[in-house]
Amino acid sequence: MTATCTSPAAPAATAPERFARVCAILDQHGRDPARLIPILQEVQEEYRFLPREVMAYVATSLGLSPAKVYGVASFYAHFALVPKGRHVIKLCDGTACHVKDSIPILEAIRKRVGLKDGQVTSDDMQFTVETVSCLGACGLAPVVVCDEEVHGGMTPAKGAALVDAIRAKEAAK
Ligand code: FES
């Protein structure tokens, strides 16, 4: 696999445009509280995370308490409650990937991105680097998923090259 990565497709939207899209998402789901999870998924695609004030609006629109919506959002690892970088790099640290030295890959990626200890998102909001459990692609271990694109047979050098490729692509825009 090549060390390239697709960038998130959605262009930056203004706050009123995003709010209009949230309303459209709610309408598409009939403002049905039973559709809370798919609604939150689509709202997250819009913002790349779930802002607390938007969750409160979703709650009111669905006739649910903000605490209920926040509780659901915080329960599922899929949902992000803080802003993520423009590019999200997920390194699998499940058993198959771990035994094939996933941690040195993580360290190489974090170093190339310039993350400090405890930091998961770069100061320029370009990258978020996180670990995840088994991605179900153990045959490709060690695995990295970058902006939903799967990269198997990763090494520390390939991880660093992946970051370089994203930077080069961004610089060419
Ligand atoms: S352990 Fe990494 S894909 Fe399964």
PDB file of all heavy atoms in Angstrom, residues 16-46:
ATOM      1  N   PRO A  16     -23.588  29.183  10.603  1.00  0.00           N
ATOM      2  CA  PRO A  16     -25.004  29.059  10.213  1.00  0.00           C
ATOM      3  C   PRO A  16     -25.258  27.892   9.266  1.00  0.00           C
ATOM      4  O   PRO A  16     -26.300  27.223   9.361  1.00  0.00           O
ATOM      5  CB  PRO A  16     -25.297  30.399   9.518  1.00  0.00           C
ATOM      6  CG  PRO A  16     -24.265  31.345  10.044  1.00  0.00           C
ATOM      7  CD  PRO A  16     -23.043  30.505  10.280  1.00  0.00           C
ATOM      8  N   GLU A  17     -24.298  27.629   8.358  1.00  0.00           N
ATOM      9  CA  GLU A  17     -24.463  26.488   7.435  1.00  0.00           C
ATOM     10  C   GLU A  17     -24.465  25.179   8.209  1.00  0.00           C
ATOM     11  O   GLU A  17     -25.266  24.273   7.941  1.00  0.00           O
ATOM     12  CB  GLU A  17     -23.321  26.481   6.407  1.00  0.00           C
ATOM     13  CG  GLU A  17     -23.450  27.556   5.343  1.00  0.00           C
ATOM     14  CD  GLU A  17     -22.207  27.672   4.463  1.00  0.00           C
ATOM     15  OE1 GLU A  17     -21.132  27.165   4.849  1.00  0.00           O
ATOM     16  OE2 GLU A  17     -22.324  28.306   3.410  1.00  0.00           O
ATOM     17  N   ARG A  18     -23.564  25.097   9.168  1.00  0.00           N
ATOM     18  CA  ARG A  18     -23.508  23.864   9.970  1.00  0.00           C
ATOM     19  C   ARG A  18     -24.794  23.686  10.771  1.00  0.00           C
ATOM     20  O   ARG A  18     -25.321  22.592  10.881  1.00  0.00           O
ATOM     21  CB  ARG A  18     -22.306  23.907  10.911  1.00  0.00           C
ATOM     22  CG  ARG A  18     -21.031  23.556  10.222  1.00  0.00           C
ATOM     23  CD  ARG A  18     -19.899  23.538  11.198  1.00  0.00           C
ATOM     24  NE  ARG A  18     -18.753  22.850  10.640  1.00  0.00           N
ATOM     25  CZ  ARG A  18     -17.510  23.087  11.006  1.00  0.00           C
ATOM     26  NH1 ARG A  18     -17.256  23.970  11.930  1.00  0.00           N
ATOM     27  NH2 ARG A  18     -16.534  22.417  10.472  1.00  0.00           N
ATOM     28  N   PHE A  19     -25.268  24.779  11.327  1.00  0.00           N
ATOM     29  CA  PHE A  19     -26.503  24.681  12.111  1.00  0.00           C
ATOM     30  C   PHE A  19     -27.662  24.242  11.210  1.00  0.00           C
ATOM     31  O   PHE A  19     -28.478  23.401  11.607  1.00  0.00           O
ATOM     32  CB  PHE A  19     -26.820  26.028  12.768  1.00  0.00           C
ATOM     33  CG  PHE A  19     -28.079  26.002  13.591  1.00  0.00           C
ATOM     34  CD1 PHE A  19     -28.119  25.303  14.788  1.00  0.00           C
ATOM     35  CD2 PHE A  19     -29.229  26.643  13.149  1.00  0.00           C
ATOM     36  CE1 PHE A  19     -29.287  25.254  15.542  1.00  0.00           C
ATOM     37  CE2 PHE A  19     -30.395  26.598  13.898  1.00  0.00           C
ATOM     38  CZ  PHE A  19     -30.419  25.911  15.092  1.00  0.00           C
ATOM     39  N   ALA A  20     -27.702  24.770   9.995  1.00  0.00           N
ATOM     40  CA  ALA A  20     -28.759  24.376   9.050  1.00  0.00           C
ATOM     41  C   ALA A  20     -28.652  22.881   8.740  1.00  0.00           C
ATOM     42  O   ALA A  20     -29.668  22.187   8.618  1.00  0.00           O
ATOM     43  CB  ALA A  20     -28.650  25.196   7.776  1.00  0.00           C
ATOM     44  N   ARG A  21     -27.416  22.393   8.632  1.00  0.00           N
ATOM     45  CA  ARG A  21     -27.234  20.963   8.348  1.00  0.00           C
ATOM     46  C   ARG A  21     -27.678  20.109   9.527  1.00  0.00           C
ATOM     47  O   ARG A  21     -28.223  19.021   9.354  1.00  0.00           O
ATOM     48  CB  ARG A  21     -25.775  20.681   7.981  1.00  0.00           C
ATOM     49  CG  ARG A  21     -25.430  21.190   6.593  1.00  0.00           C
ATOM     50  CD  ARG A  21     -24.005  20.830   6.214  1.00  0.00           C
ATOM     51  NE  ARG A  21     -23.550  21.680   5.129  1.00  0.00           N
ATOM     52  CZ  ARG A  21     -22.282  21.793   4.738  1.00  0.00           C
ATOM     53  NH1 ARG A  21     -21.350  21.099   5.360  1.00  0.00           N
ATOM     54  NH2 ARG A  21     -21.946  22.565   3.746  1.00  0.00           N
ATOM     55  N   VAL A  22     -27.416  20.589  10.732  1.00  0.00           N
ATOM     56  CA  VAL A  22     -27.883  19.843  11.917  1.00  0.00           C
ATOM     57  C   VAL A  22     -29.409  19.755  11.893  1.00  0.00           C
ATOM     58  O   VAL A  22     -29.989  18.691  12.142  1.00  0.00           O
ATOM     59  CB  VAL A  22     -27.387  20.506  13.226  1.00  0.00           C
ATOM     60  CG1 VAL A  22     -28.056  19.873  14.445  1.00  0.00           C
ATOM     61  CG2 VAL A  22     -25.867  20.388  13.341  1.00  0.00           C
ATOM     62  N   CYS A  23     -30.056  20.861  11.559  1.00  0.00           N
ATOM     63  CA  CYS A  23     -31.524  20.850  11.477  1.00  0.00           C
ATOM     64  C   CYS A  23     -31.991  19.875  10.401  1.00  0.00           C
ATOM     65  O   CYS A  23     -32.968  19.136  10.596  1.00  0.00           O
ATOM     66  CB  CYS A  23     -32.050  22.264  11.171  1.00  0.00           C
ATOM     67  SG  CYS A  23     -31.768  23.426  12.515  1.00  0.00           S
ATOM     68  N   ALA A  24     -31.277  19.864   9.257  1.00  0.00           N
ATOM     69  CA  ALA A  24     -31.645  18.950   8.171  1.00  0.00           C
ATOM     70  C   ALA A  24     -31.467  17.499   8.615  1.00  0.00           C
ATOM     71  O   ALA A  24     -32.302  16.634   8.300  1.00  0.00           O
ATOM     72  CB  ALA A  24     -30.800  19.244   6.940  1.00  0.00           C
ATOM     73  N   ILE A  25     -30.388  17.228   9.337  1.00  0.00           N
ATOM     74  CA  ILE A  25     -30.152  15.854   9.835  1.00  0.00           C
ATOM     75  C   ILE A  25     -31.296  15.440  10.762  1.00  0.00           C
ATOM     76  O   ILE A  25     -31.838  14.337  10.647  1.00  0.00           O
ATOM     77  CB  ILE A  25     -28.790  15.779  10.580  1.00  0.00           C
ATOM     78  CG1 ILE A  25     -27.642  15.925   9.579  1.00  0.00           C
ATOM     79  CG2 ILE A  25     -28.662  14.479  11.360  1.00  0.00           C
ATOM     80  CD1 ILE A  25     -26.280  16.227  10.230  1.00  0.00           C
ATOM     81  N   LEU A  26     -31.664  16.346  11.656  1.00  0.00           N
ATOM     82  CA  LEU A  26     -32.763  16.040  12.591  1.00  0.00           C
ATOM     83  C   LEU A  26     -34.049  15.765  11.813  1.00  0.00           C
ATOM     84  O   LEU A  26     -34.788  14.811  12.111  1.00  0.00           O
ATOM     85  CB  LEU A  26     -32.953  17.196  13.562  1.00  0.00           C
ATOM     86  CG  LEU A  26     -31.861  17.335  14.639  1.00  0.00           C
ATOM     87  CD1 LEU A  26     -31.887  18.721  15.266  1.00  0.00           C
ATOM     88  CD2 LEU A  26     -32.027  16.262  15.710  1.00  0.00           C
ATOM     89  N   ASP A  27     -34.319  16.591  10.805  1.00  0.00           N
ATOM     90  CA  ASP A  27     -35.536  16.417  10.004  1.00  0.00           C
ATOM     91  C   ASP A  27     -35.515  15.095   9.237  1.00  0.00           C
ATOM     92  O   ASP A  27     -36.522  14.397   9.149  1.00  0.00           O
ATOM     93  CB  ASP A  27     -35.707  17.589   9.027  1.00  0.00           C
ATOM     94  CG  ASP A  27     -36.085  18.877   9.744  1.00  0.00           C
ATOM     95  OD1 ASP A  27     -36.544  18.792  10.911  1.00  0.00           O
ATOM     96  OD2 ASP A  27     -35.905  19.959   9.160  1.00  0.00           O
ATOM     97  N   GLN A  28     -34.340  14.773   8.678  1.00  0.00           N
ATOM     98  CA  GLN A  28     -34.231  13.516   7.910  1.00  0.00           C
ATOM     99  C   GLN A  28     -34.544  12.306   8.776  1.00  0.00           C
ATOM    100  O   GLN A  28     -35.016  11.287   8.279  1.00  0.00           O
ATOM    101  CB  GLN A  28     -32.813  13.372   7.328  1.00  0.00           C
ATOM    102  CG  GLN A  28     -32.583  14.195   6.074  1.00  0.00           C
ATOM    103  CD  GLN A  28     -31.099  14.422   5.792  1.00  0.00           C
ATOM    104  OE1 GLN A  28     -30.241  13.763   6.385  1.00  0.00           O
ATOM    105  NE2 GLN A  28     -30.812  15.364   4.915  1.00  0.00           N
ATOM    106  N   HIS A  29     -34.274  12.424  10.062  1.00  0.00           N
ATOM    107  CA  HIS A  29     -34.548  11.312  10.976  1.00  0.00           C
ATOM    108  C   HIS A  29     -35.877  11.509  11.702  1.00  0.00           C
ATOM    109  O   HIS A  29     -36.143  10.824  12.705  1.00  0.00           O
ATOM    110  CB  HIS A  29     -33.404  11.160  11.984  1.00  0.00           C
ATOM    111  CG  HIS A  29     -32.140  10.645  11.347  1.00  0.00           C
ATOM    112  ND1 HIS A  29     -31.903   9.301  11.118  1.00  0.00           N
ATOM    113  CD2 HIS A  29     -31.056  11.296  10.861  1.00  0.00           C
ATOM    114  CE1 HIS A  29     -30.715   9.152  10.537  1.00  0.00           C
ATOM    115  NE2 HIS A  29     -30.186  10.342  10.363  1.00  0.00           N
ATOM    116  N   GLY A  30     -36.693  12.438  11.201  1.00  0.00           N
ATOM    117  CA  GLY A  30     -38.023  12.633  11.764  1.00  0.00           C
ATOM    118  C   GLY A  30     -38.000  13.094  13.221  1.00  0.00           C
ATOM    119  O   GLY A  30     -38.972  12.911  13.941  1.00  0.00           O
ATOM    120  N   ARG A  31     -36.875  13.673  13.637  1.00  0.00           N
ATOM    121  CA  ARG A  31     -36.698  14.108  15.041  1.00  0.00           C
ATOM    122  C   ARG A  31     -37.139  12.996  16.003  1.00  0.00           C
ATOM    123  O   ARG A  31     -37.788  13.245  17.036  1.00  0.00           O
ATOM    124  CB  ARG A  31     -37.447  15.417  15.295  1.00  0.00           C
ATOM    125  CG  ARG A  31     -36.901  16.527  14.403  1.00  0.00           C
ATOM    126  CD  ARG A  31     -37.345  17.907  14.738  1.00  0.00           C
ATOM    127  NE  ARG A  31     -36.680  18.844  13.801  1.00  0.00           N
ATOM    128  CZ  ARG A  31     -35.910  19.876  14.147  1.00  0.00           C
ATOM    129  NH1 ARG A  31     -35.732  20.158  15.410  1.00  0.00           N
ATOM    130  NH2 ARG A  31     -35.352  20.640  13.248  1.00  0.00           N
ATOM    131  N   ASP A  32     -36.765  11.773  15.625  1.00  0.00           N
ATOM    132  CA  ASP A  32     -37.138  10.581  16.392  1.00  0.00           C
ATOM    133  C   ASP A  32     -36.035  10.280  17.413  1.00  0.00           C
ATOM    134  O   ASP A  32     -34.891  10.004  17.027  1.00  0.00           O
ATOM    135  CB  ASP A  32     -37.298   9.399  15.418  1.00  0.00           C
ATOM    136  CG  ASP A  32     -37.674   8.111  16.118  1.00  0.00           C
ATOM    137  OD1 ASP A  32     -37.719   8.084  17.373  1.00  0.00           O
ATOM    138  OD2 ASP A  32     -37.901   7.120  15.403  1.00  0.00           O
ATOM    139  N   PRO A  33     -36.349  10.315  18.718  1.00  0.00           N
ATOM    140  CA  PRO A  33     -35.312  10.048  19.722  1.00  0.00           C
ATOM    141  C   PRO A  33     -34.685   8.658  19.589  1.00  0.00           C
ATOM    142  O   PRO A  33     -33.535   8.455  20.003  1.00  0.00           O
ATOM    143  CB  PRO A  33     -36.047  10.213  21.063  1.00  0.00           C
ATOM    144  CG  PRO A  33     -37.493  10.254  20.739  1.00  0.00           C
ATOM    145  CD  PRO A  33     -37.633  10.681  19.312  1.00  0.00           C
ATOM    146  N   ALA A  34     -35.412   7.715  18.976  1.00  0.00           N
ATOM    147  CA  ALA A  34     -34.853   6.377  18.777  1.00  0.00           C
ATOM    148  C   ALA A  34     -33.714   6.403  17.753  1.00  0.00           C
ATOM    149  O   ALA A  34     -32.953   5.445  17.647  1.00  0.00           O
ATOM    150  CB  ALA A  34     -35.947   5.415  18.305  1.00  0.00           C
ATOM    151  N   ARG A  35     -33.595   7.496  17.001  1.00  0.00           N
ATOM    152  CA  ARG A  35     -32.554   7.633  15.985  1.00  0.00           C
ATOM    153  C   ARG A  35     -31.352   8.435  16.511  1.00  0.00           C
ATOM    154  O   ARG A  35     -30.567   8.968  15.733  1.00  0.00           O
ATOM    155  CB  ARG A  35     -33.123   8.327  14.731  1.00  0.00           C
ATOM    156  CG  ARG A  35     -34.335   7.648  14.134  1.00  0.00           C
ATOM    157  CD  ARG A  35     -33.986   6.370  13.404  1.00  0.00           C
ATOM    158  NE  ARG A  35     -33.070   6.615  12.314  1.00  0.00           N
ATOM    159  CZ  ARG A  35     -32.292   5.689  11.761  1.00  0.00           C
ATOM    160  NH1 ARG A  35     -32.328   4.445  12.216  1.00  0.00           N
ATOM    161  NH2 ARG A  35     -31.491   5.996  10.771  1.00  0.00           N
ATOM    162  N   LEU A  36     -31.252   8.527  17.825  1.00  0.00           N
ATOM    163  CA  LEU A  36     -30.211   9.369  18.420  1.00  0.00           C
ATOM    164  C   LEU A  36     -28.807   9.028  17.917  1.00  0.00           C
ATOM    165  O   LEU A  36     -28.041   9.930  17.534  1.00  0.00           O
ATOM    166  CB  LEU A  36     -30.257   9.261  19.953  1.00  0.00           C
ATOM    167  CG  LEU A  36     -29.141  10.005  20.698  1.00  0.00           C
ATOM    168  CD1 LEU A  36     -29.184  11.496  20.400  1.00  0.00           C
ATOM    169  CD2 LEU A  36     -29.240   9.748  22.200  1.00  0.00           C
ATOM    170  N   ILE A  37     -28.450   7.756  17.894  1.00  0.00           N
ATOM    171  CA  ILE A  37     -27.077   7.395  17.525  1.00  0.00           C
ATOM    172  C   ILE A  37     -26.764   7.758  16.067  1.00  0.00           C
ATOM    173  O   ILE A  37     -25.741   8.421  15.800  1.00  0.00           O
ATOM    174  CB  ILE A  37     -26.790   5.914  17.853  1.00  0.00           C
ATOM    175  CG1 ILE A  37     -26.703   5.772  19.385  1.00  0.00           C
ATOM    176  CG2 ILE A  37     -25.494   5.435  17.187  1.00  0.00           C
ATOM    177  CD1 ILE A  37     -26.506   4.383  19.887  1.00  0.00           C
ATOM    178  N   PRO A  38     -27.609   7.371  15.086  1.00  0.00           N
ATOM    179  CA  PRO A  38     -27.283   7.818  13.720  1.00  0.00           C
ATOM    180  C   PRO A  38     -27.287   9.334  13.567  1.00  0.00           C
ATOM    181  O   PRO A  38     -26.496   9.883  12.797  1.00  0.00           O
ATOM    182  CB  PRO A  38     -28.363   7.156  12.850  1.00  0.00           C
ATOM    183  CG  PRO A  38     -29.371   6.596  13.772  1.00  0.00           C
ATOM    184  CD  PRO A  38     -28.711   6.415  15.105  1.00  0.00           C
ATOM    185  N   ILE A  39     -28.137  10.010  14.327  1.00  0.00           N
ATOM    186  CA  ILE A  39     -28.135  11.479  14.280  1.00  0.00           C
ATOM    187  C   ILE A  39     -26.791  12.011  14.779  1.00  0.00           C
ATOM    188  O   ILE A  39     -26.164  12.860  14.140  1.00  0.00           O
ATOM    189  CB  ILE A  39     -29.301  12.055  15.119  1.00  0.00           C
ATOM    190  CG1 ILE A  39     -30.638  11.801  14.406  1.00  0.00           C
ATOM    191  CG2 ILE A  39     -29.105  13.557  15.361  1.00  0.00           C
ATOM    192  CD1 ILE A  39     -31.860  12.087  15.263  1.00  0.00           C
ATOM    193  N   LEU A  40     -26.329  11.488  15.911  1.00  0.00           N
ATOM    194  CA  LEU A  40     -25.042  11.946  16.450  1.00  0.00           C
ATOM    195  C   LEU A  40     -23.895  11.630  15.489  1.00  0.00           C
ATOM    196  O   LEU A  40     -22.954  12.416  15.345  1.00  0.00           O
ATOM    197  CB  LEU A  40     -24.773  11.315  17.823  1.00  0.00           C
ATOM    198  CG  LEU A  40     -25.665  11.798  18.971  1.00  0.00           C
ATOM    199  CD1 LEU A  40     -25.303  11.058  20.266  1.00  0.00           C
ATOM    200  CD2 LEU A  40     -25.551  13.306  19.181  1.00  0.00           C
ATOM    201  N   GLN A  41     -23.983  10.479  14.815  1.00  0.00           N
ATOM    202  CA  GLN A  41     -22.936  10.123  13.847  1.00  0.00           C
ATOM    203  C   GLN A  41     -22.863  11.163  12.736  1.00  0.00           C
ATOM    204  O   GLN A  41     -21.785  11.626  12.351  1.00  0.00           O
ATOM    205  CB  GLN A  41     -23.208   8.741  13.242  1.00  0.00           C
ATOM    206  CG  GLN A  41     -22.851   7.614  14.192  1.00  0.00           C
ATOM    207  CD  GLN A  41     -23.261   6.255  13.671  1.00  0.00           C
ATOM    208  OE1 GLN A  41     -24.246   6.132  12.937  1.00  0.00           O
ATOM    209  NE2 GLN A  41     -22.519   5.244  14.048  1.00  0.00           N
ATOM    210  N   GLU A  42     -24.035  11.550  12.223  1.00  0.00           N
ATOM    211  CA  GLU A  42     -24.054  12.510  11.109  1.00  0.00           C
ATOM    212  C   GLU A  42     -23.645  13.904  11.579  1.00  0.00           C
ATOM    213  O   GLU A  42     -22.969  14.636  10.851  1.00  0.00           O
ATOM    214  CB  GLU A  42     -25.437  12.522  10.452  1.00  0.00           C
ATOM    215  CG  GLU A  42     -25.715  11.224   9.718  1.00  0.00           C
ATOM    216  CD  GLU A  42     -27.092  11.189   9.069  1.00  0.00           C
ATOM    217  OE1 GLU A  42     -27.585  12.248   8.635  1.00  0.00           O
ATOM    218  OE2 GLU A  42     -27.687  10.097   9.022  1.00  0.00           O
ATOM    219  N   VAL A  43     -24.047  14.250  12.795  1.00  0.00           N
ATOM    220  CA  VAL A  43     -23.647  15.560  13.330  1.00  0.00           C
ATOM    221  C   VAL A  43     -22.124  15.584  13.514  1.00  0.00           C
ATOM    222  O   VAL A  43     -21.457  16.569  13.198  1.00  0.00           O
ATOM    223  CB  VAL A  43     -24.375  15.859  14.655  1.00  0.00           C
ATOM    224  CG1 VAL A  43     -23.786  17.091  15.336  1.00  0.00           C
ATOM    225  CG2 VAL A  43     -25.873  16.057  14.405  1.00  0.00           C
ATOM    226  N   GLN A  44     -21.576  14.468  13.969  1.00  0.00           N
ATOM    227  CA  GLN A  44     -20.119  14.412  14.161  1.00  0.00           C
ATOM    228  C   GLN A  44     -19.387  14.535  12.823  1.00  0.00           C
ATOM    229  O   GLN A  44     -18.317  15.140  12.757  1.00  0.00           O
ATOM    230  CB  GLN A  44     -19.722  13.114  14.874  1.00  0.00           C
ATOM    231  CG  GLN A  44     -18.210  12.989  15.041  1.00  0.00           C
ATOM    232  CD  GLN A  44     -17.808  11.939  16.053  1.00  0.00           C
ATOM    233  OE1 GLN A  44     -17.890  12.150  17.250  1.00  0.00           O
ATOM    234  NE2 GLN A  44     -17.377  10.786  15.565  1.00  0.00           N
ATOM    235  N   GLU A  45     -19.948  13.961  11.773  1.00  0.00           N
ATOM    236  CA  GLU A  45     -19.318  14.101  10.457  1.00  0.00           C
ATOM    237  C   GLU A  45     -19.259  15.575  10.060  1.00  0.00           C
ATOM    238  O   GLU A  45     -18.331  16.014   9.394  1.00  0.00           O
ATOM    239  CB  GLU A  45     -20.104  13.304   9.405  1.00  0.00           C
ATOM    240  CG  GLU A  45     -19.850  11.811   9.484  1.00  0.00           C
ATOM    241  CD  GLU A  45     -20.812  11.011   8.623  1.00  0.00           C
ATOM    242  OE1 GLU A  45     -21.402  11.590   7.693  1.00  0.00           O
ATOM    243  OE2 GLU A  45     -20.991   9.814   8.904  1.00  0.00           O
ATOM    244  N   GLU A  46     -20.245  16.311  10.489  1.00  0.00           N
ATOM    245  CA  GLU A  46     -20.314  17.736  10.148  1.00  0.00           C
ATOM    246  C   GLU A  46     -19.245  18.547  10.885  1.00  0.00           C
ATOM    247  O   GLU A  46     -18.574  19.396  10.309  1.00  0.00           O
ATOM    248  CB  GLU A  46     -21.712  18.243  10.519  1.00  0.00           C
ATOM    249  CG  GLU A  46     -22.067  19.594   9.961  1.00  0.00           C
ATOM    250  CD  GLU A  46     -22.041  19.603   8.447  1.00  0.00           C
ATOM    251  OE1 GLU A  46     -22.566  18.666   7.794  1.00  0.00           O
ATOM    252  OE2 GLU A  46     -21.449  20.545   7.926  1.00  0.00           O
TER     253      GLU A  46
END
